[in-house]
């Protein structure tokens, strides 16, 4: 007697096998085993002649779907059928969400078992959960299956009806989607807002005051009892103060005059206000909040987050990761509270168990939030995980544990100071009790560091005090356009509008990028000109389909179908074949859509048209000599295309490229041009005898107007031959590529070995010795946890005897000793870096609480525990919780530290480049 259990993935199958008796055979379906046909070759011969076959849905026969088994799944289906022959019972154990229910139903239709069938569901893969699920099997929920099938049919109807229209009217290969098109429209609307944005500028004063040797900042807020204008007072569409606002707008001259007038006048504290604030922890993760936080903290895309979470779930580390629910089971609440009690002490435990309620109407999928699996929670260090798996589990663990911790109590302090008729405000924040912030701070990797950053301590002040003014400066500001969507903010917007399901957001964002509707640059989703054209066409001719309200109502109806409150067939008939149905609309609108107009993107203030062509976007302008066309560089976004750039691109096309000068050796002219991939320099002109003149791209971030003749000549020497490799005799070169500057060891047929060139090294000046040094370093695979080869070995630590080395990190060199990593200063040379400098740097970092614990090293654990004991003196937490706190606080990865250092470096550069001007983000 044997039982066949079918799950979706091999990993899940391997994990579950460990929890079932030997009479159970667990096999994987590898996801869906059948679906609507994805291509013409998948359509069965029997129906190929039918007009609805390409659609995959027989709209004339009650929307009957045409299901086929894809070629790559036929072998799997055969193996499952063979396995079923030896079984006396079949258990369908696919995921407990709609998708999983649908997979089980399809398996039932294909396998047609003659043995008893059970549907087993669970939201975590632990021995206890699997054994419990075996005793509580149920039947397949046909209402959930029907809702999922309706959703699949609906998506097919929208995609396969609208996409061919886009091929005809705009460009081949474009696609439309029920949720995808709404998401693209959100990106386009934000880009339009950025384009319509008009910058405003204003000035104010900033003071550095001192009382009792404690310095604090103060900002000008009033002059003569009139509020001084700030960024929130500006109209984004005009760049002017919003009509009706009674504020004083200072320009530079007025600000400096005010500064001179109050420069040496006495300051007096006029008012002090202290306001107690209580903060509650966020609820545990849902699918969308996990995607948002992983994007903010770990810089993971939605697809990557779901891939890692899926792996953690299938290996038994977390509960099911596709869920809209913030609910925690009693078992989970007990486990979380136990962690708090043991690791942080009873004072950090919330007085009563916190129970969270899901607010969204259509919440479904798994019945619990994403949390660590099991009745007791393994700390991140106890899991044996590493790399990005560790970091995502750590995020989930922290959020879950923090949800059962005490409130954070803070005091916000506002001090108003007067000097003459100018009023200044200082803001402070004191954390009276950190509560849940001790374990988890939203948007921050390290709770301890975040606590320090959150506190702004003001000196003890009282009304009438006269602080000293140490410094007073006039500061200029410029308002900023609305921020582009990141994956995190787009997911948040889609969820708040009720568009789509959170479990599908990852694939939707992936499709948007893959299909060329948006580019993901520096974590921002930037819509392309093609996205503008498609969105304009849909807004004009099919407004409902890109309306968030309409799409949200569709989601509600699909949810009602799942609960039996709505009928699926009447809904599909009305949506597709009714008088105002999609098929009718497309038939009516197709003849009215002018392809030339559809391919044209209208952007205000431009004399030329932007058109979508076979090879991308281009400019089209009428001139005396006829129509002039010029390609638009791929990195130029719709919001950034201005009249000056248009003029340059068209002038380059009509008058030829801009001549920079003559090459000092050949006498040939050198030109600066802009092509599809950005600006570049060119030696000589294109002619019959010189069809491919030598060209070189400008380094990333270099403006074409800043290129000098000397720089152009140097760029045209690329690739630079640096010499030969001493071991192979093969040439070593330096060059610029798609991903930036690099050195390459070219061994011909043997292969090429590349390494990136990072500042302070320069592709134009790097020499052979340094190139060989870079090439000698191992290539670090993304996410690899292997120890890299050091850039420089400095020597042994005088106390521990352990080696201290310098390594190359993501954001530059850093020194490492045991658990402590510390980034070298921006201007510090690796070659000249000494052991003593390293000891000083490491001591400073350790004093600041920097460190990284490792569950695999006893020495690391002892070090972390020692650090923790020092930190614990600041709190009344029990000693037994100290080591665990340290593990949580110290678990920063090198990349995260380097990222912090890089941000500081960037900020310094910005401050240097921007003389007296600072930017204020407009909300």
């Amino acid at each position: 007697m044997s039982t066949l259990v079918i799950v979706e993935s091999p990993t899940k199958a391997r994990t579950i096998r460990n929890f079932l008796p030997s009479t159970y055979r667990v096999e994987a379906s590898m996801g869906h085993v059948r679906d609507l046909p994805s291509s013409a070759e998948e359509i069965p011969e029997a129906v190929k002649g039918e007009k609805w076959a390409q659609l995959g849905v027989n709209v004339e026969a009650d929307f009957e779907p045409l299901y086929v088994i894809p070629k790559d799944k036929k072998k799997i289906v055969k193996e499952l059928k063979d396995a079923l022959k030896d079984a006396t019972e079949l258990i369908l154990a696919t995921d407990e969400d709609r998708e999983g229910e649908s997979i089980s139903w399809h398996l039932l239709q294909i396998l047609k078992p003659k043995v008893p069938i059970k549907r087993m569901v669970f939201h975590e893969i632990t021995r206890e959960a699997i054994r419990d699920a075996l005793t509580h099997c149920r039947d397949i929920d046909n209402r959930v299956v029907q809702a999922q099938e309706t959703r699949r049919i609906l998506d097919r109807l929208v995609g396969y009806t609208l996409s061919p229209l886009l091929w005809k009217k705009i460009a081949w290969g474009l696609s439309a989607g029920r949720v995808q098109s709404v998401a693209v429209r959100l990106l386009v609307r934000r880009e339009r807002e950025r384009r319509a944005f008009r910058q405003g500028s204003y000035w104010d004063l900033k003071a550095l005051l001192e009382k009792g040797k404690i310095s604090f900042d103060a900002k000008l807020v009033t002059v003569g009892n009139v509020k001084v204008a700030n960024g929130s007072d500006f109209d984004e569409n005009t760049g002017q103060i919003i009509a009706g606002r009674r504020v004083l707008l200072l320009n530079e001259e007025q600000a400096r005059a005010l500064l001179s007038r109050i420069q040496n006048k006495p300051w007096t504290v006029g008012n002090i206000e202290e306001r107690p604030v209580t903060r509650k922890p966020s609820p545990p993760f849902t699918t969308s909040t996990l995607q948002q936080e992983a994007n903010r903290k770990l810089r993971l895309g939605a697809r990557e987050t779901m891939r890692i979470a899926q792996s953690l779930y299938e290996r038994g580390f977390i509960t099911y990761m596709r869920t809209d629910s913030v609910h925690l089971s009693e078992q989970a609440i007990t486990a979380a509270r136990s962690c708090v009690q043991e690791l942080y002490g009873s004072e950090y435990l919330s007085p009563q168990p916190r129970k969270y309620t899901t607010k969204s109407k259509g919440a479904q999928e798994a019945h619990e939030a994403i949390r660590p699996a099991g009745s007791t929670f393994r700390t991140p260090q106890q899991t044996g995980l590493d790399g990005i798996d560790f970091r995502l589990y750590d995020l989930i663990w922290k959020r879950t544990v923090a949800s059962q911790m005490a409130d954070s109590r803070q005091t916000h302090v506002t001090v108003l100071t007067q000097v003459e008729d100018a009023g200044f405000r200082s803001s402070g924040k004191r954390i009276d009790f950190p509560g849940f912030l001790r374990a988890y701070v939203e948007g921050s990797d390290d709770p301890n560091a975040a606590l320090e950053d959150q506190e702004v301590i003001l000196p003890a002040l009282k009304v009438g005090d006269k602080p000293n003014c140490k410094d007073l400066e006039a500061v200029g500001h410029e308002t900023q356009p609305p921020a582009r969507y990141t994956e995190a903010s787009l997911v948040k917007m889609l969820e708040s509008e009720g568009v789509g399901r959170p479990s599908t957001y990852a694939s939707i964002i992936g499709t948007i990028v893959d299909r060329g509707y948006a580019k993901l640059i520096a974590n921002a989703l930037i819509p392309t000109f093609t996205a503008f054209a498609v969105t304009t066409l849909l807004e004009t001719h099919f407004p409902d389909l890109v309306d968030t309200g309409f799409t949200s109502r569709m989601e509600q109806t699909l949810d009602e179908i799942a609960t039996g409150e709505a009928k699926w067939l009447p809904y599909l008939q009305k949506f597709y074949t009714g008088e105002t149905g999609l098929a009718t609309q497309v038939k009516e609108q197709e003849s009215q859509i002018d392809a030339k107009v559809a391919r044209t993107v209208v952007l205000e203030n431009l004399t030329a048209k932007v058109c979508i062509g076979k090879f991308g976007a281009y400019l089209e302008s009428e001139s005396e000599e006829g129509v002039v066309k010029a390609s638009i560089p791929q990195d130029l976004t719709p919001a950034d295309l201005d009249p000056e750039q248009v003029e340059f691109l068209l002038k380059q096309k009509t008058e030829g490229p801009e001549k920079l000068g003559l090459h000092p050796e050949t006498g040939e002219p050198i030109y600066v041009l802009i092509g599809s991939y950005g600006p570049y320099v060119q030696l000589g002109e294109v002619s019959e005898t010189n069809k491919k003149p030598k060209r070189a791209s400008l380094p990333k971030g270099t403006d074409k107007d800043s290129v000098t003749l000397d720089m152009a000549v140097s760029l045209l020497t690329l690739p630079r031959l640096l010499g030969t490799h001493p071991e192979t005799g093969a040439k070593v070169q330096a060059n610029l590529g798609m991903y930036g500057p690099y050195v390459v060891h070219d061994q011909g047929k043997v292969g090429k070995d590349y390494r990136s060139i990072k500042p302070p090294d320069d592709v134009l000046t790097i020499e052979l010795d340094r190139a060989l040094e870079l090439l000698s370093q191992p290539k670090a695979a993304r996410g690899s946890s292997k120890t890299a080869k050091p850039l420089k070995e400095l020597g042994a630590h005088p106390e521990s005897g352990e080696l201290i080395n310098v390594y190359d990190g993501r954001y530059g060199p850093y020194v490492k000793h045991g658990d402590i990593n510390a980034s070298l200063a921006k201007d510090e040379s690796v070659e000249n870096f000494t052991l003593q400098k390293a000891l000083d740097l490491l001591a400073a970092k350790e004093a600041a609480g920097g460190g990284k614990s490792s569950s695999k090293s006893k020495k690391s654990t002892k070090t972390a525990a020692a650090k923790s004991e020092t930190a614990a003196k600041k709190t009344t937490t029990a000693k037994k919780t100290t080591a665990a706190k340290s593990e949580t606080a110290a678990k920063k990865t090198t990349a995260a530290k380097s990222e912090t250092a890089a941000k500081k470096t960037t900020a310094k550069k910005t401050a240097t480049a921007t003389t007296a001007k600072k930017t204020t983000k407009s909300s």
Side-chain angles (χ1 to χ4, degrees):
M1 183 175 181
S2 66
T3 299
L4 175 63
V5 180
I6 302 179
V7 297
E8 295 97 328
S9 78
T11 304
K12 189 175 177 183
R14 283 193 297 271
T15 309
I16 289 176
R17 282 191 196 110
N18 297 326
F19 308 136
L20 294 175
S22 59
T23 54
Y24 284 75
R25 178 177 176 179
V26 187
E27 297 294 340
S29 70
M30 305 298 289
H32 279 282
V33 289
R34 69 174 189 173
D35 197 4
L36 302 175
S38 61
S39 62
E41 65 179 18
E42 286 189 351
I43 299 173
E45 288 294 335
V47 296
K48 269 196 173 176
E50 302 291 342
K51 61 181 181 180
W52 53 267
Q54 197 71 37
L55 187 61
V57 178
N58 190 346
V59 296
E60 296 173 359
D62 292 342
F63 291 86
E64 181 183 355
L66 173 64
Y67 289 122
V68 297
I69 300 173
K71 186 182 296 183
D72 62 340
K73 290 299 176 71
K74 289 183 178 179
K75 182 181 177 182
I76 294 167
V77 169
K78 183 181 184 304
E79 289 172 351
L80 292 175
K81 285 182 176 180
D82 291 341
L84 187 59
K85 290 175 184 177
D86 300 325
T88 55
E89 182 183 45
L90 173 64
I91 295 181
L92 300 169
T94 53
D95 292 338
E96 61 176 327
D97 60 2
R98 290 168 177 159
E99 199 78 15
E101 204 74 15
S102 179
I103 291 173
S104 282
W105 180 79
H106 280 289
L107 284 167
L108 200 61
Q109 303 304 306
I110 291 173
L111 299 178
K112 297 181 172 53
K114 294 181 173 61
V115 296
I117 306 152
K118 293 179 181 177
R119 172 79 170 106
M120 184 172 83
V121 293
F122 43 85
H123 73 284
E124 60 183 351
I125 305 177
T126 60
R127 185 179 301 277
E128 181 183 8
I130 297 302
R131 292 295 178 89
D132 182 67
L134 271 176
T135 62
H136 294 90
C137 290
R138 60 168 172 80
D139 294 328
I140 289 176
D141 190 331
N142 287 314
R143 288 191 305 188
V144 173
V145 172
Q146 189 66 75
Q148 180 61 28
E149 188 171 58
T150 304
R151 183 183 297 273
R152 183 72 186 94
I153 292 171
L154 196 62
D155 288 340
R156 174 56 68 97
L157 295 175
V158 173
Y160 274 49
T161 304
L162 282 179
S163 296
L165 182 66
L166 299 180
W167 303 344
K168 295 176 186 176
K169 303 299 181 180
I170 299 178
W172 175 260
L174 296 178
S175 68
R178 183 175 61 88
V179 180
Q180 168 196 315
S181 297
V182 177
V184 171
R185 187 193 183 207
L186 289 173
L187 301 182
V188 169
R189 283 173 60 182
R190 179 60 54 86
E191 201 74 359
R192 287 172 179 163
E193 290 170 3
R194 288 176 64 86
R195 188 165 182 82
F197 173 79
R198 295 294 175 265
Q199 194 173 68
S201 61
Y202 60 98
W203 284 72
D204 58 21
L205 303 184
K206 181 182 177 182
L208 179 66
L209 305 180
E210 184 183 66
K211 179 71 167 65
K213 295 186 178 180
I214 298 178
S215 300
F216 60 101
D217 292 331
K219 181 182 176 183
L220 178 70
V221 289
T222 60
V223 175
N225 293 321
V226 178
K227 178 180 177 290
V228 175
N230 59 36
S232 63
D233 295 310
F234 284 82
D235 186 330
E236 293 183 351
N237 297 314
T238 64
Q240 304 298 314
I241 296 295
I242 297 171
R245 290 278 173 96
R246 185 175 176 269
V247 293
L248 174 64
L249 178 60
L250 296 177
N251 58 30
E252 182 177 3
E253 183 181 353
Q254 292 168 325
R256 296 196 184 282
L258 176 62
L259 185 152
S260 298
R261 181 162 62 85
I262 66 173
Q263 181 77 61
N264 297 309
K265 298 297 169 46
W267 294 65
T268 306
V269 175
N271 186 50
I272 300 174
E273 179 184 338
E274 292 197 358
R275 180 168 55 92
V277 175
T278 300
R279 282 184 59 189
K280 296 183 181 298
S282 299
F285 281 129
T286 61
T287 299
S288 75
T289 54
L290 177 63
Q291 290 174 3
Q292 292 171 49
E293 191 72 338
N295 185 251
R296 285 192 292 261
K297 282 190 175 181
L298 307 181
R299 283 292 185 257
L300 291 176
R303 275 197 290 196
E304 185 72 355
T305 298
M306 294 309 290
R307 183 192 66 75
I308 298 164
Q310 176 94 31
S311 173
L312 291 174
Y313 163 67
E314 291 177 348
R315 288 181 286 161
F317 289 108
I318 64 171
T319 54
Y320 193 53
M321 67 291 154
R322 292 190 178 90
T323 174
D324 296 345
S325 176
V326 293
H327 169 71
L328 286 177
S329 66
E330 291 299 328
Q331 171 186 281
I333 290 174
T334 301
R337 293 179 70 81
S338 176
C339 282
V340 177
Q341 179 76 47
E342 183 179 345
L343 301 178
Y344 300 98
S346 57
E347 64 180 316
Y348 281 91
L349 192 63
S350 65
Q352 299 296 326
R354 295 186 189 271
K355 297 188 177 182
Y356 298 91
T357 305
T358 305
K359 296 179 181 179
S360 58
K361 180 181 182 295
Q364 55 92 43
E365 314 292 3
H367 66 273
E368 206 175 349
I370 303 170
R371 63 168 176 84
S375 56
T376 57
F377 293 167
R378 285 173 284 185
T379 65
Q381 291 75 21
Q382 291 170 339
T383 60
L385 294 167
D386 58 13
I388 198 63
D389 289 351
F390 176 93
R391 297 183 70 194
L392 191 66
Y393 178 86
D394 176 64
L395 201 63
I396 294 166
W397 184 89
K398 283 179 178 175
R399 177 90 163 213
T400 308
V401 170
S403 73
Q404 294 302 316
M405 292 178 73
D407 294 344
S408 169
R409 298 192 302 274
Q410 307 170 4
T411 300
H412 291 194
V413 184
T414 303
V415 176
L416 297 179
T417 313
Q418 198 75 21
V419 50
E420 295 284 298
D421 61 342
F424 285 74
R425 180 169 59 213
S426 302
S427 298
K429 180 162 68 173
R430 182 176 68 247
I431 297 178
D432 303 311
F433 176 66
F436 72 91
L437 295 176
R438 178 61 65 197
Y440 180 84
V441 181
E442 194 165 14
S444 172
D445 282 329
D446 178 18
N448 283 344
L451 284 175
E452 294 171 10
D453 292 342
Q454 286 195 9
E455 280 200 307
V456 180
I457 303 299
L458 298 178
L461 294 166
K462 61 181 184 295
V463 174
D465 279 352
K466 298 186 178 299
N468 296 322
C469 181
K470 305 291 289 183
D471 187 36
L472 184 63
E473 62 175 329
V475 184
H477 306 267
E478 291 176 343
T479 57
Q480 295 295 299
R484 291 185 173 107
Y485 284 105
T486 62
E487 289 198 40
S489 58
L490 181 59
V491 165
K492 185 176 182 180
M493 174 60 79
L494 290 171
E495 185 180 38
S496 67
E497 293 289 337
V499 175
R501 306 299 314 169
S503 57
T504 65
Y505 292 158
S507 62
I508 288 165
I509 293 173
T511 300
I512 289 171
V513 175
D514 293 344
R515 294 298 179 106
Y517 288 122
K519 293 180 179 179
L520 188 57
I521 301 175
N523 207 37
L525 287 163
I526 305 175
T528 61
F529 291 99
T530 300
F532 269 67
V534 170
T535 297
T536 300
L537 184 150
L538 295 178
E539 284 175 331
T540 305
H541 300 280
F542 308 97
D544 282 350
L545 291 180
V546 287
D547 178 69
T548 52
F550 179 82
T551 308
S552 177
R553 289 191 293 275
M554 290 173 72
E555 289 295 342
Q556 291 176 19
T557 303
L558 290 167
D559 290 337
E560 289 165 0
I561 291 170
T563 59
E565 299 172 60
K567 301 296 183 183
W568 68 275
L569 184 56
Y571 179 71
L572 285 179
Q573 289 171 332
K574 181 180 178 182
F575 173 80
Y576 192 73
T577 58
E579 290 183 8
T580 58
L582 180 61
T584 307
Q585 288 185 55
V586 170
K587 193 176 293 183
E588 291 175 353
Q589 295 289 336
E590 184 171 352
S591 60
Q592 299 177 26
I593 299 173
D594 184 318
K596 178 64 177 174
V597 173
R599 294 189 187 104
T600 303
V601 178
V602 177
L603 299 174
E604 66 278 6
N605 302 326
L606 296 184
T607 55
K609 299 175 183 177
V610 175
C611 302
I612 307 300
K614 187 177 180 180
F615 302 106
Y618 64 92
L619 293 170
E620 185 176 289
S621 177
E622 297 284 346
S623 71
E624 295 179 357
E625 299 176 357
V627 177
V628 179
K629 297 179 180 180
S631 296
I632 298 176
Q634 293 187 6
D635 61 350
L636 191 57
T637 67
D640 299 327
L641 184 63
D642 57 35
E644 290 75 20
Q645 290 164 323
V646 169
E647 182 183 0
F648 181 87
L649 291 169
L650 292 173
K651 185 178 179 182
Q652 176 179 287
K653 197 72 176 179
T654 56
E655 300 180 11
E658 179 182 332
K659 186 175 176 180
L660 196 60
L662 299 179
H663 195 285
E665 296 177 8
T666 67
E668 293 177 277
I670 296 177
Y671 301 101
V672 180
L673 303 96
I674 295 182
S676 297
Y677 299 98
Y680 63 94
V681 292
Q682 176 178 298
L683 180 61
E685 298 181 17
V686 178
S687 65
E688 283 297 320
T689 56
N690 189 24
K691 293 183 178 180
K692 292 185 178 180
K694 187 170 181 57
R695 294 171 176 170
S697 297
L698 300 190
K700 193 171 183 180
T702 303
D703 185 80
K704 64 177 180 59
D705 295 327
S706 66
V707 180
T708 63
L709 181 60
D710 288 343
M711 182 191 294
V713 170
S714 296
L715 287 170
L716 288 166
T717 64
L718 298 177
R720 291 175 55 226
L721 178 62
L722 305 182
T724 57
H725 198 286
E727 296 176 7
T728 65
K731 60 184 179 182
V732 176
Q733 295 177 309
N735 202 359
L736 268 173
M738 186 175 182
Y739 300 104
Y742 64 88
V743 291
V744 58
H745 175 202
D746 186 354
Q747 298 184 68
K749 292 181 180 180
V750 176
K752 296 180 180 180
D753 191 20
Y754 296 88
R755 295 294 184 278
S756 295
I757 297 175
K758 298 176 182 177
D761 292 320
D762 189 319
V763 68
L764 299 178
T765 58
I766 192 169
E767 295 181 353
L768 179 61
D769 287 347
R770 177 57 178 156
L772 293 174
E773 188 178 348
L774 292 176
L775 289 165
S776 68
Q777 298 169 18
K779 278 188 177 178
R782 177 175 280 187
S784 171
S785 60
K786 295 181 180 179
T787 304
K789 185 177 179 180
L791 294 179
K792 186 176 183 180
E793 295 181 358
L794 301 175
H797 193 283
E799 294 177 12
S800 69
E802 290 184 11
L803 283 177
I804 298 178
N805 299 323
V806 180
Y807 295 88
D808 188 27
R810 184 179 177 188
Y811 296 105
Y814 66 95
V815 62
K816 178 178 178 65
H817 169 240
D819 304 313
I820 308 297
N821 297 337
S823 296
L824 271 65
K826 175 187 146 190
D827 55 353
E828 185 70 68
S829 165
V830 174
E831 290 77 13
N832 299 326
F833 197 69
T834 64
L835 177 61
Q836 187 55 52
K837 286 182 180 179
L839 292 172
D840 294 340
L841 191 61
L842 289 163
K845 188 61 180 282
E846 188 166 13
K852 183 174 106 177
S853 68
S854 168
S855 60
K856 298 180 181 179
S857 167
K858 291 182 180 179
K859 186 170 286 188
S860 298
T861 306
K862 289 178 182 177
T863 304
K867 288 180 204 168
S868 178
E869 288 174 22
T870 303
K873 292 176 183 177
K874 298 178 183 178
T875 70
T876 58
T877 308
K879 287 182 181 178
K880 66 179 181 179
T881 70
T882 308
K885 278 190 198 175
S886 171
E887 287 176 353
T888 303
K891 181 192 40 39
K892 291 188 278 185
T893 65
T894 302
K897 293 180 189 172
S898 299
E899 184 172 338
T900 305
K903 286 179 181 175
K904 290 179 180 177
T905 302
T906 304
K908 288 178 182 177
K909 288 181 181 176
T910 305
T912 304
T914 311
T915 51
K917 298 214 168 188
K918 294 185 179 179
T919 57
T920 301
K921 287 194 175 182
S922 179
S923 58

